[in-house]
Every structure is written in C-alpha cells, then in structure tokens.
Amino acid sequence: GGEVKEDKEEAVEEAAEEMIPGLTIPVARVKRMMRNNPDKKKNFSKEAVQCVAAGMELFLADFAKNVYQFTVDKKRKTLAIADVAECVRLVPRFEFLDGPGIIPDVSDRQKKPRVQAAPPPSVAHANDIQRSLAAAQAQAAAEAAAAEAAAQAQAQAQAQAQAQAAGGGEAADAPTQAGEGGAAGGQEGAQKEG
C-alpha cells in the first residue's frame, strides 16, 4: 500500500520536474540517479536536483565539444569511441573518467583489421537468384531441344543410308519427298515407289 502511494507521488513529481525551462536533461532521471547512490540520502530538494541537472548539462556540453575536436582533428565526420577514450586520456580535467568499466579499451579494436560481414539477403538479391534460375532452366530446355533435334536428324540420316543401301539411288530421294516423316516415312515412300 505505502509503496504504491510513493510511486504515484514520485510519478507526479517527475512529471512536474520534467518541464524546467532551459534544461534538456530530464530532471526526474537526474533525481533517480541521485537516489541510486548508496552513500547518500534518498531525499533531495527540487533546487538541488535542478542544480545537479544544470551541472550535468554543462559538463556534457564541454565533454562533447572536446571529444568532437578529437574527431575533427582526425578529419572524420563520425565520432567514435576511440575519440572518447583519447579525450579522457589526454585532457586532464576528464582523467577521472579513466577507470575500469567506464570507457572500453579500444587499443585492441584499432589494431585488428575489420572483417566485413556478408550483407543479409535482400529482396533484390532474391530476385537476382530467381532470374538466374529461370535463365538456367531456359538454357537447359534449349539444350535439350537441340539434343532432341540432333537425335532426330541422326535417325533420319541413318534411315536414308539404310534406304540407299537396300534400294539403290531412288530410295535416297524418298525421305525428302515424304517430308519430315522421319525414318518410317522415308521407308514408306521408298516402298510406294518400288
């Protein structure tokens, strides 16, 4: 019961404190961070929280400008964690941030070459695969049709050779007169003539 009432009161306080002119950092979050400090008391005046929030904004603005300067000095447009680490290491007033667990160690990252991962398959990639597959199927069908036509031509040539061997020179012309009837049509034409 009492815990729910405190949560409701805190939510009302947070909503009211969020709208302090001139601050962009939410005051309620600053207050929550202050309450999470185990060494300090849990209740803070509104003015104290506002002062801490204003100080945080000033600190972060100064820190961001310094880090950005390291980025500009390296002639880059994108701020990297290496710039943050370098600023903490080289600017004396930010040395207190240099400690375990605050800024990740980036010295190993800079030495290792980056391996670029393969891009995830996209819709365009899938369409390319479908087009390639369709082209391969069409080519296979064309090759099969060409092989079948070659087999028919070979069978027709064999039929003509057999007709010539059996009936002499007249039988050789018979398949061409009968049309493309194949070996059977050529033999029928040869029998009609003979």
Side-chain angles (χ1 to χ4, degrees):
E3 190 174 312
V4 174
K5 184 178 178 183
E6 286 179 16
D7 288 341
K8 286 182 183 179
E9 288 176 5
E10 187 174 313
V12 171
E13 281 181 26
E14 287 177 7
E17 292 174 351
E18 292 281 339
M19 307 309 280
I20 297 174
L23 291 179
T24 57
I25 293 180
V27 177
R29 290 191 185 182
V30 173
K31 189 172 188 178
R32 190 175 309 127
M33 285 187 270
M34 292 170 69
R35 285 185 178 165
N36 286 338
N37 187 346
D39 298 334
K40 305 297 177 193
K41 65 179 188 174
K42 301 294 181 192
N43 294 323
F44 305 97
S45 70
K46 181 178 178 181
E47 294 80 14
V49 175
Q50 289 174 355
C51 287
V52 170
M56 284 177 68
E57 280 198 19
L58 292 172
F59 168 77
L60 289 174
D62 183 45
F63 185 62
K65 286 178 189 174
N66 279 275
V67 171
Y68 182 70
Q69 190 59 47
F70 282 93
T71 304
V72 171
D73 290 346
K74 292 179 183 176
K75 297 180 181 172
R76 289 187 286 111
K77 292 182 180 179
T78 304
L79 190 138
I81 188 68
D83 302 322
V84 175
E86 190 172 5
C87 180
V88 166
R89 197 169 27 91
L90 297 177
V91 178
R93 68 178 173 271
F94 300 126
E95 285 179 351
F96 72 95
L97 293 172
D98 193 14
I102 298 175
I103 305 289
D105 184 25
V106 293
S107 59
D108 294 338
R109 291 183 190 176
Q110 292 174 348
K111 293 178 184 175
K112 295 179 184 177
R114 291 186 179 179
V115 178
Q116 189 172 9
S122 63
V123 173
H125 183 66
N127 290 341
D128 290 343
I129 291 172
Q130 287 177 344
R131 280 192 293 271
S132 297
L133 181 61
Q137 287 174 342
Q139 184 177 359
E143 289 173 358
E148 186 177 332
Q152 285 179 353
Q154 186 179 9
Q156 188 175 9
Q158 286 176 351
Q160 284 178 352
Q162 287 176 355
Q164 281 180 353
E170 293 178 17
D173 295 334
T176 54
Q177 291 173 358
E180 292 187 20
Q187 290 174 351
E188 286 175 13
Q191 290 174 353
K192 287 181 184 178
E193 286 181 14

